[in-house]
Amino acid sequence: MSAETAIRVEGFTKRYGKRVAADGLALEVKRGEIYGLVGADGAGKSSLMKAIAGVLSFDGGTVDVFGTRIDSARAAEQVKQRIGFLPQGLGLNLYPDLSIDENVDFFGRLRLVPADVLAERKRVLLGMTRLDAFRHRPMRQLSGGMKQKLGLVCTLIHEPDLVILDEPTTGVDPVSRRDFWAILGRLLEEKGVTALVSTAYLDEADRFHRVSLFHEGKVMGEGTPAELVAVVPGTLALFRAEPQAEALPRLKARFPQTEAMGTWLRVFAEGLDATAARAAVDACLDQPAHPVGSAVGRTSVRQTTVSEGDRRTEVRPTDTAIRLTDWFAREPELEDVFVAMLRQRGAKLESVFPEDGLTPHTSTAPAIEARELTRVFGDFRAADAVSFRVPQGEIFGLLGANGAGKTTVIKMLTGILKPSSGFGMVAGADMRTAGWAIKERIGYMSQAFSLYHDLSVVENIRLYAGIYGLDDRAARRRTDWVIGMAGLAGFENDAAGRLPMGLRQRLALGCALVHQPQVLFLDEPTSGVDPIGRRVFWDILFHLSRREGVAILVTTHYMGEAEHCDHLALMFAGKVVADASPEQMKQAVTAEAGQLLELRVDRPAPAQAALVDAGFASAVLHGRAVHLLSKAADADLARLPGILAAAGVQLQSVQPRPLSMEDVFVHQVSALEAAQRGTP
């Protein structure tokens, strides 16, 4: 093991009973780098990280940390003082009844940090994380993002050589996620610390020097993010096609990695450059050939049957014309490549919807209507005069930072929590007086609990069918429908708790749909789900909204999912502060703050600091790049090289990027937080 190597793992194997959690894993982490483990819950990331931290035994292979082989408790003790470990889960390494100050002091003393050194480090770290104003607040009263930042402070208080962070941003809102990465990047730059970080968010992979892609206990790929993206070449195309519901199945037959994202379609054309991708999409939609970027006229759709492997997809004949507009093409993202790699291993993206003979929900009245909904707990207003409307058949996203009031609003609308004031109608029923009537018309998939893990798949479905009053014949019919829809054939008698996360979430969705509700409430439904499972889940939601007329209200911290929604409401401090479509929100931010520029630089952390000092307050780290908003892009492009050169940073490239919903969320919430603090 060379002096430049911090961690070396070879043949790592870990079993829990008959289940193999990690199967012959190998990796090498260099000193001073941020190494990422990317994959869904259950992929083996946590088992490996705990073994490296010296807190978990394993069944095979070797683990070396700073030249010490971790093969006994005694060996683990030799390196523990050089390691900081943040386990998975919001605040699980903290003490709820202790204040921020007391938690930091406890960990400092536990690590034998001298009192004067501890006081200075605490001052710096709490200032950097913006926790200094809350240092006397008990941990249990902190938001999820604040808990994770406090957990990071406690992990770093003894200045370890290696920090091991297990999914530190899962369940954390985008603003807190960016804060977390900025703080970590700055500390690693200044201290030369090595970091091993796991995540279920593939959009975070750009923040790592190198990455291992985990799936079902194995490493599917390893390298820099750019090297991994190059493994499966192709083009990512974004465009609109009307009618969308007719275009989507045609495109999926030719391009399995096709998603509906609000009014847009997102297609990964594997193996094709931008020109060939456009021609293939045109041909798929029975369009004549057009130059890239040109307008497209109306044509009719012919009947066709397309084969992919052992799957045949028939597109039924229709006279509906399809119009394609607003074409954009760019290089694929790591998630597109990861999904393609999983497909090569046999993973399926399609979902099946058995015919049930039920009439789709149609109504001109709003499916959900909130008017001035307010909920007060003591002197705290968790929801403050919240108002919005959701038509039947729409996917509506409720966004907001941790503690913004989203779950409180859902609990009031579903009748779980009584509002302090205000009014709400759900599926034609008054939420204040409807009682059981409102529960018959809605499905609810909660953030924490939706299934009985000791019951089998069929037992869970039949239990919910009984709760909702279905007779035996209807229960059997809907059970068959749920199993088909969720892809659970062959798992009928398996305990729910033993299912992979993606299947478990689809079972929970099926249980919420067993009585064919008009309205579906989903609270953080895909947290920790792998990319395949997440895409299939959203494919199901699209079908439910477009084909069966179900109104869907969803909360999420994953901003890529916000792009799937037809309409969004952004909550801040219990209030709705924005209410528009994703496209309208992006246009508003562009008009207010300018064009998004991506700067590739050799030293991202000093570059970001220099840009903020130069007046670019929006500059944030984005992996090995810096993103900023510019109102005068041409003039700023001329200034940027000089600003960076003066800071000793080399500008490698700069190019405009389209705004994402994460950019919108961070801009708007950051501005609101600054206004609340009274800072410009």
Side-chain angles (χ1 to χ4, degrees):
M1 188 168 175
S2 70
E4 293 78 25
T5 301
I7 302 168
R8 176 173 289 163
V9 176
E10 295 181 351
F12 177 81
T13 301
K14 176 64 182 177
R15 300 182 184 89
Y16 296 95
K18 295 181 179 180
R19 186 174 73 85
V20 179
D23 188 5
L25 300 178
L27 60 85
E28 183 174 328
V29 180
K30 302 294 185 182
R31 293 188 188 226
E33 74 176 347
I34 307 177
Y35 195 100
L37 308 181
V38 180
D41 284 354
K45 307 186 303 296
S46 293
S47 295
L48 177 60
M49 299 180 94
K50 288 175 182 176
I52 293 170
V55 297
L56 180 72
S57 62
F58 48 97
D59 300 299
T62 60
V63 174
D64 295 282
V65 180
F66 297 125
T68 298
R69 179 146 297 179
I70 311 300
D71 54 7
S72 66
R74 183 176 180 179
E77 286 298 326
Q78 294 178 27
V79 296
K80 278 186 179 178
Q81 187 61 23
R82 302 180 68 184
I83 294 174
F85 178 42
L86 181 64
Q88 184 177 349
L90 297 177
L92 287 188
N93 67 325
L94 303 173
Y95 293 86
D97 294 328
L98 298 184
S99 68
I100 288 176
D101 243 348
E102 291 166 338
N103 267 286
V104 178
D105 287 344
F106 173 81
F107 278 89
R109 291 167 186 155
L110 186 67
R111 293 292 194 167
L112 305 178
V113 180
D116 56 339
V117 176
L118 173 59
E120 176 58 18
R121 288 182 188 171
K122 182 168 67 171
R123 183 189 66 79
V124 172
L125 290 170
L126 292 184
M128 189 183 297
T129 54
R130 302 204 307 273
L131 293 173
D132 46 357
F134 309 96
R135 55 198 310 158
H136 300 300
R137 182 178 294 182
M139 185 280 277
R140 66 175 181 275
Q141 295 180 9
L142 302 179
S143 69
M146 293 171 74
K147 288 176 182 176
Q148 289 303 80
K149 286 189 282 188
L150 176 57
L152 181 62
V153 169
C154 294
T155 301
L156 295 169
I157 197 64
H158 64 295
E159 293 195 346
D161 297 317
L162 169 66
V163 291
I164 301 172
L165 310 175
D166 193 2
E167 296 204 11
T169 57
T170 295
V172 175
D173 66 82
V175 173
S176 295
R177 280 173 64 193
R178 287 202 179 181
D179 275 352
F180 190 94
W181 283 110
I183 294 160
L184 183 61
R186 177 178 164 185
L187 289 168
L188 297 185
E189 180 87 17
E190 293 174 353
K191 304 292 185 181
V193 178
T194 303
L196 181 66
V197 188
S198 68
T199 181
Y201 298 109
L202 270 88
D203 62 331
E204 291 187 336
D206 272 343
R207 292 168 165 86
F208 304 126
H209 296 104
R210 289 188 299 134
V211 177
S212 283
L213 300 178
F214 277 52
H215 182 65
E216 295 182 350
K218 294 181 180 292
V219 174
M220 294 179 52
E222 188 273 340
T224 67
E227 288 169 346
L228 289 170
V229 168
V231 169
V232 185
T235 297
L236 179 61
L238 294 166
F239 55 91
R240 289 185 173 95
E242 292 295 338
Q244 189 186 54
E246 297 293 339
L248 184 63
R250 291 184 61 81
L251 290 164
K252 273 186 168 294
R254 171 66 177 84
F255 306 105
Q257 289 178 229
T258 297
E259 299 177 275
M261 305 189 75
T263 61
W264 292 81
L265 290 169
R266 184 182 189 277
V267 174
F268 176 48
E270 186 177 339
L272 302 179
D273 62 20
T275 302
R278 178 59 186 266
V281 167
D282 284 344
C284 183
L285 297 178
D286 198 22
Q287 303 278 5
H290 289 274
V292 174
S294 66
V296 181
R298 289 181 172 270
T299 61
S300 61
V301 177
R302 297 178 301 182
Q303 180 178 2
T304 184
T305 302
V306 182
S307 296
E308 188 212 358
D310 59 354
R311 181 168 67 89
R312 296 178 62 83
T313 302
E314 181 177 343
V315 181
R316 296 176 181 176
T318 176
D319 294 329
T320 305
I322 295 179
R323 179 177 175 81
L324 191 154
T325 59
D326 300 319
W327 174 276
F328 295 93
R330 63 174 188 258
E331 68 178 15
E333 298 171 0
L334 184 57
E335 180 168 315
D336 302 301
V337 171
F338 192 24
V339 170
M341 294 168 71
L342 292 173
R343 284 181 47 243
Q344 291 169 4
R345 296 191 173 206
K348 300 295 183 183
L349 277 171
E350 69 272 14
S351 49
V352 179
F353 292 91
E355 294 295 332
D356 205 352
L358 297 173
T359 304
H361 300 294
T362 56
S363 174
T364 56
I368 305 172
E369 184 172 12
R371 299 184 198 169
E372 304 290 316
L373 274 181
T374 300
R375 176 67 194 199
V376 178
F377 296 97
D379 58 356
F380 173 63
R381 299 177 79 84
D384 189 0
V386 172
S387 298
F388 57 82
R389 300 176 71 182
V390 182
Q392 200 72 49
E394 180 176 89
I395 302 176
F396 186 92
L398 195 59
L399 309 181
N402 296 99
K406 306 183 299 297
T407 300
T408 300
V409 169
I410 286 183
K411 287 182 177 179
M412 287 191 288
L413 288 171
T414 54
I416 295 172
L417 189 65
K418 184 177 180 180
S420 302
S421 63
F423 168 79
M425 293 286 290
V426 179
D430 185 336
M431 48 169 273
R432 298 169 301 180
T433 59
W436 179 250
I438 200 170
K439 293 177 175 61
E440 288 182 318
R441 302 174 193 178
I442 67 170
Y444 179 38
M445 184 174 161
S446 74
Q447 187 174 350
F449 174 80
S450 292
L451 297 172
Y452 294 86
H453 286 198
D454 291 336
L455 297 184
S456 70
V457 167
V458 169
E459 288 168 340
N460 267 283
I461 300 170
R462 294 301 295 267
L463 173 64
Y464 275 90
I467 290 172
Y468 285 112
L470 274 64
D471 60 31
D472 286 345
R473 181 178 178 183
R476 287 194 298 271
R477 187 181 73 242
R478 291 301 287 175
T479 297
D480 292 342
W481 183 90
V482 169
I483 289 170
M485 177 275 297
L488 289 165
F491 296 92
E492 292 91 341
N493 298 315
D494 289 11
R498 295 180 183 173
L499 295 176
M501 176 66 78
L503 287 180
R504 196 186 313 160
Q505 293 299 82
R506 299 207 298 269
L507 172 60
L509 175 64
C511 289
L513 292 167
V514 71
H515 57 304
Q516 208 208 9
Q518 293 175 243
V519 179
L520 183 61
F521 292 91
L522 306 173
D523 196 5
E524 299 282 347
T526 60
S527 181
V529 177
D530 67 86
I532 290 278
R534 203 161 52 236
R535 290 186 180 209
V536 172
F537 193 94
W538 276 94
D539 187 50
I540 293 168
L541 297 188
F542 180 83
H543 175 96
L544 291 169
S545 66
R546 300 301 192 266
R547 299 292 189 182
E548 300 196 15
V550 179
I552 301 170
L553 188 151
V554 59
T555 71
T556 180
H557 280 146
Y558 190 75
M559 289 298 103
E561 294 188 339
E563 307 273 4
H564 289 273
C565 298
D566 301 305
H567 203 91
L568 299 168
L570 174 60
M571 292 188 67
F572 178 79
K575 295 178 179 288
V576 172
V577 295
D579 186 353
S581 70
E583 195 66 22
Q584 289 168 334
M585 287 191 177
K586 292 176 187 177
Q587 291 169 356
V589 171
T590 300
E592 177 187 337
Q595 169 72 53
L596 178 68
L597 300 179
E598 180 179 85
L599 286 66
R600 292 280 172 179
V601 293
D602 62 340
R603 299 172 62 215
Q608 188 257 353
L611 291 166
V612 171
D613 290 342
F616 293 97
S618 64
V620 295
L621 291 175
H622 194 85
R624 302 300 296 166
V626 178
H627 283 189
L628 60 84
L629 292 166
S630 170
K631 289 186 178 180
D634 291 340
D636 288 339
L637 287 172
R639 294 175 55 208
L640 290 171
I643 294 170
L644 295 173
V649 176
Q650 180 184 354
L651 177 61
Q652 298 166 337
S653 67
V654 57
Q655 59 183 326
R657 288 285 189 187
L659 279 175
S660 67
M661 273 310 302
E662 179 165 324
D663 296 314
V664 171
F665 184 99
V666 170
H667 172 79
Q668 293 187 330
V669 172
S670 296
L672 290 163
E673 287 180 343
Q676 192 178 61
R677 293 193 301 267
T679 57

